[in-house]
Amino acid sequence: MKIRDVMTPDAVAAHPGTTLMAAAEMMRLLNVGSLPVVDGERVVGILTDRDIVVRGLALGFNPRTASVADVMTRNVQTCSVDDDVEDVAHQMRELQVRRLLVVDERERLIGIVSLGDLAMEMEDQRLAGRVLEGISEPSTAMTH
């Protein structure tokens, strides 16, 4: 099975200049915990609710004036629509991430795939459990 079969297409994205307050409101309305960040058509980062709290509010940024670019994760992990679901699951485990952005060959956003999307489709539920276990292990490095 390929990522195109399980991903969420047409993911709503934020712009690097969007304020943290506006991004948080987008997350609330969409009932999501992360937003891809695109500049033009190219993916430049991902913003999570944790980024807003830990890198934004905890460090004293004003959510009405600080931008997504101030706190987003720039080292974005991606996959392709043609990648195999199990390969992406292993990649998520190795990277200790719960979601990957799905991009085309020009790094344009196509969609997003989450651990939940993969777990529902993976034939080997033990593998899905191991992926979650690997993601949940404490990370030794924090990226920005």
Side-chain angles (χ1 to χ4, degrees), residues 10 14 40 55 84-85 112 116 122 124 128 131:
D10 304 319
R55 294 187 186 144
D84 184 75
V85 167
I112 191 165
M122 292 177 69
D124 183 350
V131 170

Side-chain angles (χ1 to χ4, degrees), residues 85-100 114-116 118-119 122 124-137:
V85 167
E86 290 196 17
D87 292 341
V88 170
H90 287 293
Q91 181 182 3
M92 291 171 102
R93 179 181 176 156
E94 291 300 311
L95 296 169
Q96 291 187 304
V97 297
R98 296 180 188 275
R99 67 192 62 81
L100 290 176
S114 72
L115 177 62
L118 298 181
M122 292 177 69
D124 183 350
Q125 292 302 314
R126 291 176 304 211
L127 177 58
R130 287 194 306 270
V131 170
L132 178 58
E133 183 180 285
I135 290 170
S136 300
E137 291 176 1

Side-chain angles (χ1 to χ4, degrees), residues 20 23-24 27 33-37 45-61 66-76 99 142-144:
L20 296 182
M27 288 179 180
S34 67
L35 292 170
V37 182
I46 189 165
L47 178 73
T48 66
D49 45 9
R50 187 175 190 283
D51 292 333
I52 292 171
V53 173
V54 174
R55 294 187 186 144
L57 300 179
L59 295 176
F61 284 92
S67 72
V68 166
D70 293 330
V71 301
M72 71 182 186
T73 300
R74 295 174 189 280
N75 185 15
V76 173
R99 67 192 62 81
M142 187 172 165
T143 61
H144 181 68

Side-chain angles (χ1 to χ4, degrees), residues 28-45:
R28 184 185 72 78
L29 291 172
L30 296 167
N31 194 29
V32 297
S34 67
L35 292 170
V37 182
V38 298
D39 190 4
E41 292 185 342
R42 204 173 124 262
V43 171
V44 294

Side-chain angles (χ1 to χ4, degrees), residues 98-117:
R98 296 180 188 275
R99 67 192 62 81
L100 290 176
L101 301 183
V102 183
V103 297
D104 66 13
E105 64 282 347
R106 294 185 186 159
E107 297 297 313
R108 292 181 300 193
L109 181 66
I110 295 175
I112 191 165
V113 63
S114 72
L115 177 62
D117 297 331

